[in-house]
């Protein structure tokens, strides 16, 4: 049940002063405040049918505004009222560990500011934040702009502390009313305030929605609770969280049929032109727009059913209306989605099957589908170029990333084409399985699985499955459903989760002083023992043992006390306390002073590896582009790995460039400086590139600056200068998952060892091939060529041999026609020790060419393993033979496995003594299949 707040939460002096009365809407069941006592409903145009839009061709504002003008008007208004203007945050929320994309302006300040962990960048402040809400993807277009995947939210925020009140509910509503009436010129009596409850980002509070002529233009939230296990817990800070729809205000001021026309201007006109939609009945479009508030494609909605309500109101046949609206709505959606995709890609998101990359891929494939429907799939790059040019005036990073955006699109398009090619075979196989189960329709669960696991859009599945005679019903909100599953999720972090027992044991202890931050070169220290847990965990008042975290292993070493020396084998951070796990019978007593000695050789190696990781990351960004972000890292003594986002496999040339740049950075002997800074100050100074390793908690963050090369928020231990690294060698590269490349590298002496190891391999190869090292490539090319020629000759001889052997079918030679059932011959042969798969396949092919009503059962063993192969001709398959099922059962007898298709399968196992039993089982299965057909 929806949470309700008492009337006192909404009864403001402002409403009383201006003569507002509180009423209950009979249609949606919500309370609202109006200056018109005769008003019956809340006046919002929604699916509940409370009202229609009355601003279409009749705007209530004193003038028309563009989006840019409306944005500036909003910001300037609140600046005049003492708010500091803040630059927008990125649309990719890398400072958060619970969401991927920024979907409201308050996201910029959750949870650190709203929960009192860190101060806000200003108080009060005003911001216009680009936001992305993929859950609205199905409604983008059909609702004419009430729903958008990307939009601009204007937020004026005030953070009220127990000791400092800035302003609260009453003043918030007054600010809104002044803006909409005095700045925009809307009559006061046309502004309705509707009560509601807002929950998001783990916080909640009462809110009022501002409605003008049917359109909700702003939501004023009074955030004062934290949601814990479904319950509302009072926060110490009360936050004014407003969301002004800058796009909606622009639409309201222009009175055009859709928000897309108001926001996208010339971009929309050009997309219509590309799609060949030259003449639009604007009178009809306006009539539909007036009642478009009724549209909402939720999980139960059917497009035509929803459309029928509109058709009735505009007095038109539903299918005629649908054919009129579909191309227009598709153009609207293309305009929205391409802008959204350009913003996501410009911030370094690489389309993939995981995290924010999944959402970028979903968007790309939906755009592709829409462009196909409009017949302009070749215009994607032109439209993206239009968007970049149009929005770069306000968001210049789009222009800076143009080439990378286009390159990422090109690679993603190639991947999608490959997915479609592979998808046809996959859908055929699934269709066969469904038909075998007598199904007539592909279930929605299968559509979701095909999209999530294989990237196949449901529309493509529908096309392929239709050819196989199966029906596919694609839910109208399919993309919204899959997006919802990927919008809010716990991101993988490199934090080590402590044991519950330790959390309880140290909960009352003071924070451990981390000496490794005071002096990263400290090797020994003295400290006081605060607590010993379970005779193996020691807590000190201070330590220079680094606890595992951020991909850096924990320090190891010794604790010395009372003539005892015990080994420290593990160090972890539990909240604010550092816990040392020791190995040995003796433990220090509480209150005892201990001497700590860290394994300096290990620590120094890890310091080199950690600083090298920052250098490699910076080098990769310079070589590959600004889309490169750290995806994960694990430091080591012999080698270290760094996973980075990138849209294609790294070439050897790119790896060598990264390696060269990294070593040049080492030779510059740059200073590595670590500084604790207030979060907002660090973000303001260095931007959100800080969060390479993901979200960083705390009021202050530790910023590690490597000369002018790299800046990151990092809690690890580092060198004083890059020159101490000595040398970096990238020893391996691989693609660990779609959109993520792994670089493995060694530093210092370990790097030298890696180079020497490669040299040894080259010298050994030189001896084996009897060729000088400098001529190994030519020698290898010659050998490969000769090997290919030899294999070709072998294939030719095998084919010839197979032809000859196939002639002997039925003769009592090596091959024997065992039986004939229903006109199908069953032929078997023991290849004995010569289990050459090519020869077996070629011989079976030749037999079946002569008579496709034949089943060949071939088998053999080399003493270590046994192999069985079954091939069936077209007529044999048509009469019920299934080689796949036969081989699976036969191979199981051999203690192994196998499979294939109905016409061909092979398998084997290690139980060679059961080969005769397996062959006999195969024969009986063929006979059984033929008799049962």
């Amino acid at each position: 049940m929806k949470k309700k707040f008492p009337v006192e939460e909404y009864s403001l002096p402002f409403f009383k002063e201006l003569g507002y009365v509180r009423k209950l809407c009979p249609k949606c069941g919500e309370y609202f405040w109006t200056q018109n006592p005769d008003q019956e409903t809340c006046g919002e145009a929604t699916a509940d049918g409370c009202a229609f839009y009355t601003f279409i061709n009749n705007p209530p504002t004193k003038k028309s505004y563009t989006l840019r003008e409306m944005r500036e008007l909003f910001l300037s208004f609140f600046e005049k009222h003492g708010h500091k203007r803040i630059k927008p945050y990125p649309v990719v929320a890398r400072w958060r560990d619970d969401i991927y994309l920024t979907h409201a302006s308050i996201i910029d300040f959750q949870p650190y500011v709203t929960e009192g962990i860190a101060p806000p960048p200003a108080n009060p402040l005003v911001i216009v934040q680009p936001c992305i809400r993929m859950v609205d993807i199905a409604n983008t277009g059909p609702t004419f702009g009430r729903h958008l995947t990307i939009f601009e939210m204007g937020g004026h925020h005030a953070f009220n502390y127990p000791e400092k009140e800035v302003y609260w509910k009453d003043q918030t509503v007054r600010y809104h009313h002044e803006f909409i009436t005095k700045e925009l010129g809307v009559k006061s009596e046309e502004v309705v305030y509707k009560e509601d409850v807002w929950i998001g980002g783990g916080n909640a509070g009462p809110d009022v929605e501002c409605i003008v002529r049917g359109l909700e233009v702003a939501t004023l939230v009074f955030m004062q609770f934290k949601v814990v296990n479904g319950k509302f817990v009072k926060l110490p800070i009360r936050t004014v969280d407003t969301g002004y729809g800058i796009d909606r205000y622009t639409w309201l001021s222009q009175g055009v049929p859709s928000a897309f026309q108001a926001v996208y201007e010339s971009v929309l006109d050009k997309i219509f032109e590309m799609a060949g939609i030259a003449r639009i009945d604007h009178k009809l479009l306006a009539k539909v727009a007036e009642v478009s508030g009724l549209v909402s494609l939720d999980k139960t909605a059917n497009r035509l059913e929803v459309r029928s309500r509109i058709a009735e109101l505009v007095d038109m046949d539903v299918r005629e209306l649908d054919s009129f609206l579909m191309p227009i709505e598709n153009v609207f959606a293309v305009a929205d989605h391409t802008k959204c995709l350009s913003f996501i890609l410009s911030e370094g998101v690489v389309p993939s099957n995981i995290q924010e990359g999944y959402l970028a891929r979903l968007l790309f494939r939906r755009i592709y589908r829409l462009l196909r429907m409009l017949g302009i799939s070749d215009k994607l790059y032109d439209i993206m170029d239009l968007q970049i040019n149009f929005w770069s005036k306000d968001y210049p990073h789009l222009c800076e990333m143009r080439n990378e955006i286009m390159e990422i699109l090109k690679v993603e398009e190639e991947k999608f084409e490959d997915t479609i090619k592979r998808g046809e075979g996959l859908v055929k196989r699934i269709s066969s399985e469904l038909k075998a189960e007598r199904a007539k329709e592909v279930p929605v669960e299968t559509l979701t699985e095909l999209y999530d696991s294989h990237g196949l859009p449901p529309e493509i599945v529908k096309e392929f499955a239709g050819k196989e005679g199966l029906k596919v019903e694609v839910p109208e909100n399919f993309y919204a459903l899959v997006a919802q599953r990927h919008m809010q999720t716990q991101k993988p972090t490199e934090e080590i989760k402590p044991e519950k027992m330790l959390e309880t044991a140290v909960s009352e202890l003071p924070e451990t002083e981390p000496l490794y931050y005071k002096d990263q070169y400290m090797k020994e220290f003295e400290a006081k023992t605060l607590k010993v847990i379970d005779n193996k965990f020691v807590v000190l008042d201070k330590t220079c043992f680094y606890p595992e975290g951020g991909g850096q292993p924990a320090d190891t070493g010794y604790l010395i006390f009372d003539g005892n020396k015990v080994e420290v084998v593990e160090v972890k951070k539990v909240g604010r306390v550092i816990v040392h796990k020791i190995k040995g019978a003796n433990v220090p007593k509480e209150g005892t002073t201990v001497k700590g000695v860290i394994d300096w050789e290990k620590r120094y190696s890890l310091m080199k590896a950690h600083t090298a990781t920052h250098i490699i990351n910076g080098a990769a960004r310079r070589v590959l582009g600004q889309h490169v972000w750290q995806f994960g890292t694990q430091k080591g003594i012999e080698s270290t790995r760094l996973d980075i986002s990138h849209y294609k496999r790294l070439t050897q040339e790119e790896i060598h460039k990264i390696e060269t740049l990294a070593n040049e950075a080492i030779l510059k002997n740059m200073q590595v400086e670590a500084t604790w800074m207030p979060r907002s100050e660090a973000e303001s100074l260095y931007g959100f590139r800080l969060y390479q390793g993901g979200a960083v908690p705390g009021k202050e963050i530790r910023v590690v600056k490597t000369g002018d090369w790299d800046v990151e928020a990092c809690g690890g231990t580092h060198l004083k200068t890059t020159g101490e690294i000595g040398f970096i060698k990238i020893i391996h590269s691989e693609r660990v998952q779609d959109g993520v490349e792994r670089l493995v590298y060694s530093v210092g002496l370990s790097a030298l060892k890696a180079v020497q190891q490669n040299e040894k391999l080259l010298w050994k190869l030189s001896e084996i091939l009897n060729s000088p090292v400098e001529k190994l490539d030519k020698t290898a090319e010659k050998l490969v060529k000769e090997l290919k020629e030899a294999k070709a000759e072998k294939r030719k001889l095998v084919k010839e041999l197979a032809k000859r052997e196939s002639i002997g079918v039925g003769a009592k030679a090596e091959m024997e026609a065992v039986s004939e059932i229903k006109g199908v011959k069953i032929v078997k042969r023991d290849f004995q020790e010569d289990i050459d798969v090519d020869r077996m396949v070629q011989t079976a092919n030749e037999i079946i060419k002569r008579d496709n009503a034949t089943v060949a059962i071939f088998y053999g063993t080399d003493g270590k393993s046994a192999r069985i192969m079954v091939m069936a001709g077209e007529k044999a398959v048509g009469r019920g033979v299934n080689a796949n099922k036969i081989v699976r059962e036969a191979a199981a007898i051999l203690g192994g496995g196998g499979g294939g298709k109905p016409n061909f399968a092979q398998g084997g196992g290690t139980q060679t003594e059961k080969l005769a039993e397996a062959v006999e089982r195969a024969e009986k299965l063929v006979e059984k299949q033929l008799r049962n057909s």
Side-chain angles (χ1 to χ4, degrees), residues 725-769:
I725 295 170
F727 173 50
I728 291 177
K729 177 64 188 169
I730 297 174
I731 57 176
H732 178 64
S733 166
E734 64 176 307
R735 168 144 287 194
V736 290
Q737 59 194 39
D738 193 23
V740 180
E741 292 288 306
R742 173 167 293 170
L743 290 167
V744 182
Y745 44 93
S746 294
V747 300
L749 286 176
S750 296
L752 180 62
K753 283 178 192 173
V755 172
Q756 290 172 341
Q757 187 62 36
N758 283 340
E759 281 184 349
K760 281 181 186 176
L761 287 172
L762 281 174
W763 289 342
K764 189 174 180 181
L765 195 58
S766 174
E767 286 175 16
I768 292 168
L769 299 179

Side-chain angles (χ1 to χ4, degrees), residues 40 179 246 356 720:
E40 293 181 5
F179 174 74
I246 304 300
E356 59 264 39
K720 288 179 181 175

Side-chain angles (χ1 to χ4, degrees), residues 359-411:
L359 299 170
R361 176 162 287 170
L362 180 149
L363 206 51
F364 172 86
R365 296 189 175 182
R366 182 164 164 85
I367 291 167
Y368 181 89
R369 171 218 173 199
L370 292 166
L371 292 176
R372 268 184 85 189
M373 290 170 72
L374 290 165
I376 54 170
S377 52
D378 60 330
K379 298 295 183 185
L380 172 63
Y381 299 94
D382 295 333
I383 296 169
M384 289 295 282
D385 210 43
L386 285 172
Q387 295 281 22
I388 291 167
N389 289 337
F390 187 80
W391 296 106
S392 288
K393 298 180 187 79
D394 305 303
Y395 303 99
H397 68 281
L398 288 166
C399 193
E400 293 161 13
M401 288 290 288
R402 182 196 304 271
N403 292 341
E404 286 183 56
I405 291 170
M406 295 304 182
E407 178 65 20
I408 291 170
L409 284 176
K410 184 184 174 188
V411 172

Side-chain angles (χ1 to χ4, degrees), residues 43-323:
E44 185 178 7
T46 65
D48 294 310
C50 304
F52 298 137
Y53 295 136
T54 55
F55 68 92
I56 305 298
N57 291 331
N58 184 29
T61 55
K62 59 188 176 186
K63 60 167 281 192
S64 171
Y65 296 88
T66 64
L67 184 74
R68 186 175 292 116
E69 289 168 342
M70 187 62 74
R71 183 194 305 125
E72 183 53 40
L73 187 74
F74 171 80
L75 290 167
S76 298
F77 172 81
F78 282 98
E79 272 188 313
K80 284 186 293 187
H81 286 80
H83 294 66
K84 183 177 178 181
R85 185 186 296 218
I86 301 295
K87 286 182 180 178
Y89 280 45
V91 296
V92 182
R94 290 186 170 95
W95 62 94
R96 297 282 297 261
D97 64 2
D98 56 340
I99 56 173
Y100 296 122
L101 301 173
T102 307
H103 57 259
S105 61
I106 196 63
I107 293 298
D108 304 345
F109 313 108
Q110 287 175 318
Y112 308 112
V113 176
T114 57
E115 293 185 15
I117 299 166
N123 195 13
L125 61 84
V126 63
I127 187 170
V128 171
Q129 175 65 47
C131 298
I132 295 176
R133 287 187 186 168
M134 298 286 281
V135 291
D136 290 332
I137 200 165
N139 282 305
T140 302
T143 60
F144 277 54
R146 191 170 84 251
H147 297 90
L148 304 166
T149 64
I150 185 166
F151 57 94
E152 296 192 17
M153 179 181 286
H156 63 94
H157 299 291
F159 305 94
N160 297 289
Y161 296 85
E163 69 280 3
K164 184 189 176 185
E165 179 91 2
V166 183
Y167 63 83
W168 192 225
K169 297 177 191 174
D170 193 68
Q171 185 57 52
T172 302
V173 179
R174 288 177 191 275
Y175 277 142
H176 174 268
H177 209 73
E178 184 181 341
F179 174 74
I180 200 166
T181 56
K182 293 185 179 177
E183 291 290 325
L184 295 181
V186 177
K187 291 177 182 177
S188 178
E189 59 268 24
E190 291 206 64
V191 185
V192 175
Y193 293 94
K194 183 178 174 182
E195 295 178 11
D196 203 358
V197 175
W198 182 89
I199 302 173
N203 299 133
D207 75 72
V208 289
E209 297 167 354
C210 316
I211 301 154
V212 178
R213 296 194 182 179
L215 183 66
E216 181 194 335
V217 288
T219 303
L220 313 178
V221 180
F222 309 108
M223 188 193 295
Q224 51 192 309
F225 299 100
K226 184 176 182 177
V227 183
V228 181
N229 299 323
K231 293 181 179 178
F232 284 14
V233 179
K234 274 272 188 184
L235 284 165
I237 298 169
R238 292 169 300 128
T239 302
V240 171
D241 169 24
T242 63
Y244 287 54
I246 304 300
D247 305 73
R248 290 192 182 189
Y249 275 111
T250 305
W251 183 17
L252 184 77
S253 79
Q254 292 186 23
V256 287
S258 79
F260 304 98
Q261 290 156 301
V263 170
Y264 289 94
E265 303 174 23
S266 60
V267 172
L268 191 74
D269 295 337
K270 284 172 185 171
I271 300 172
F272 272 122
E273 191 180 317
M274 289 175 188
I277 304 172
R279 294 184 180 178
I280 297 172
D281 186 337
H282 289 282
K283 193 174 178 182
L284 175 58
L285 193 65
K287 279 176 71 178
V288 173
E290 287 171 5
V291 295
S292 63
L294 294 173
V295 178
S296 181
L297 298 177
D298 62 19
K299 60 186 176 183
T300 59
N302 172 283
R303 189 183 80 251
L304 286 178
E305 284 177 13
V306 173
R307 196 83 91 197
S308 65
R309 295 178 70 190
I310 305 295
E312 191 178 334
L313 290 165
V314 298
D315 192 22
M316 193 174 180
D317 175 74
V318 65
R319 295 196 179 275
E320 189 183 338
L321 179 64
D322 192 55
S323 63

